[in-house]
Amino acid sequence: MSDIGSEEFEDEGGPYLGEYEGDRNDEGERHGFGKATLPNGDTYEGQYEKGKRHGQGTYRFKNGARYLGEYLRNKKHGTGTFIYPDGSQFEGAWVDDQRHGGGKYTYVNGDLYSGEWSKHERHGQGVYVYKETGSRYSGTWVVGKPEGAGELIHIDHRYQGNWTDASMQGPGKYIFDIGCEQHGEYIPVEQAPEEADAEEDAVTLTIPKWKAGKITDITLFVPEEEEEDEEKDDPSFGLPLPSSSAIAVDKMEDEELKDIAEEAEETAVEVTQNQIDETAVDADEADADDEDFEPDADAE
């Protein structure tokens, strides 16, 4: 059964209930393929079942945003792509109108997050790549923020450690391409507000501060069972990685090595914190955008 007419009411003072062109079932409900213009100006083209968007379809918002993917009883559910007016987009799994499962979010500045989602938030294992610098964070996310074990990788060095509420905290180490690694820990330090903000009841900030420890050569990580077997056959197993860079480090004076590590660490800390802060801002903006794009119900 196909309906080629319009559902627009033109009576005096009558409300505009939208238009529909497409298939219907014996009960007169939208069922099958159809095209609809909603009262708010949005449009939908795709599958219906018993009066609701159900199956594959494309929903276009009047502000330029659009969703292409699967629906379940009028809600985004399954696999789909949501494109925002600013050009950012999400490709992945949806459950009950929310990003949930595996998915990839490309931000308007070119940054990219690929990983797990839960109820619209980055949650689980994921990788965030920063377009401008090429750096990337790989690790655990909890409700949109880095939390737990993770790794922040830069061009010539990387940091491995733990995050708490999007900030590095606790034991960790910096691994440098020159062939050494610096162990230490991040401790929370309160930072007093600037004088200009003191009169405005500014809140004292807590920032992570790196407490440097020993500097060592880079070593290989091997599971315990394999290590026990290797130790029987090779008495040198477990010693520092015998790379050319590690050999070069052995020949360097202790003070020179320390200066190089400290300089690299200072740069890493500054870039790290700035990028994590930007990640939190991007997450907030993305969530705020989604709240603006809730489709109206189709008129019957």
Side-chain angles (χ1 to χ4, degrees):
M1 179 177 180
S2 179
D3 177 21
I4 309 299
S6 168
E7 293 189 355
E8 179 177 2
F9 283 70
E10 299 181 350
D11 296 339
E12 295 183 9
Y16 173 62
L17 300 179
E19 301 176 5
Y20 175 74
E21 178 181 343
D23 300 329
R24 293 182 181 273
N25 58 19
D26 294 338
E27 287 72 32
E29 299 172 314
R30 301 176 185 186
H31 192 90
F33 183 81
K35 300 179 182 180
T37 299
L38 282 68
N40 65 354
D42 295 347
T43 63
Y44 173 76
E45 180 175 348
Q47 296 295 321
Y48 281 90
E49 183 175 292
K50 295 182 178 181
K52 297 184 181 295
R53 296 185 292 274
H54 192 93
Q56 200 72 24
T58 299
Y59 192 105
R60 299 178 184 275
F61 298 82
K62 62 181 179 181
N63 62 3
R66 60 190 185 277
Y67 171 78
L68 304 85
E70 296 176 292
Y71 278 90
L72 178 67
R73 293 189 291 275
N74 261 7
K75 293 186 177 182
K76 296 184 289 291
H77 193 100
T79 302
T81 299
F82 198 112
I83 303 173
Y84 296 89
D86 62 7
S88 59
Q89 68 176 45
F90 172 79
E91 305 173 57
W94 297 79
V95 174
D96 196 26
D97 253 352
Q98 295 184 318
R99 299 186 294 268
H100 193 95
K104 178 174 64 175
Y105 201 118
T106 303
Y107 297 87
V108 66
N109 65 353
D111 289 357
L112 173 68
Y113 171 82
S114 180
E116 297 176 296
W117 297 78
S118 178
K119 297 180 180 179
H120 253 352
E121 301 276 9
R122 292 169 295 200
H123 191 90
Q125 293 298 309
V127 178
Y128 191 104
V129 180
Y130 301 89
K131 174 69 173 179
E132 184 176 355
T133 64
S135 299
R136 66 183 186 274
Y137 167 81
S138 177
T140 307
W141 298 75
V142 176
V143 194
K145 298 179 180 180
E147 185 82 20
E151 182 176 36
L152 188 62
I153 305 170
H154 299 288
I155 295 176
D156 57 1
H157 64 279
R158 66 183 63 198
Y159 173 77
Q160 295 177 344
N162 289 279
W163 273 256
T164 299
D165 194 27
S167 294
M168 295 171 290
Q169 188 168 329
K173 66 178 181 178
Y174 280 93
I175 303 173
F176 302 97
D177 288 353
I178 59 175
C180 67
E181 57 188 32
Q182 184 182 62
H183 300 255
E185 65 175 323
Y186 272 100
I187 56 177
V189 176
E190 291 188 352
Q191 184 178 48
E194 297 180 2
E195 295 182 2
D197 299 329
E199 299 178 358
E200 301 178 3
D201 296 329
V203 179
T204 300
L205 300 177
T206 300
I207 60 172
K209 178 65 176 177
W210 176 248
K211 182 179 179 182
K214 63 180 180 179
I215 297 175
T216 68
D217 296 327
I218 297 176
T219 57
L220 289 172
F221 171 78
V222 179
E224 292 183 3
E225 293 183 0
E226 294 184 16
E227 184 176 351
E228 292 177 358
D229 294 337
E230 290 287 349
E231 284 178 343
K232 296 178 181 179
D233 302 328
D234 184 2
S236 66
F237 186 82
L239 292 178
L241 178 67
S243 64
S244 58
S245 58
I247 294 173
V249 170
D250 288 339
K251 298 179 180 179
M252 297 178 65
E253 295 293 336
D254 291 342
E255 289 301 322
E256 182 180 358
L257 178 57
K258 183 177 180 181
D259 290 341
I260 294 175
E262 288 181 351
E263 181 179 352
E265 183 272 323
E266 289 176 1
T267 302
V269 171
E270 181 180 355
V271 174
T272 295
Q273 193 56 45
N274 288 341
Q275 291 174 335
I276 291 299
D277 290 343
E278 291 172 2
T279 300
V281 171
D282 286 336
D284 293 340
E285 292 178 350
D287 293 336
D289 286 343
D290 283 323
E291 294 175 359
D292 297 333
F293 302 122
E294 294 299 330
D296 283 358
D298 291 293
E300 293 299 328

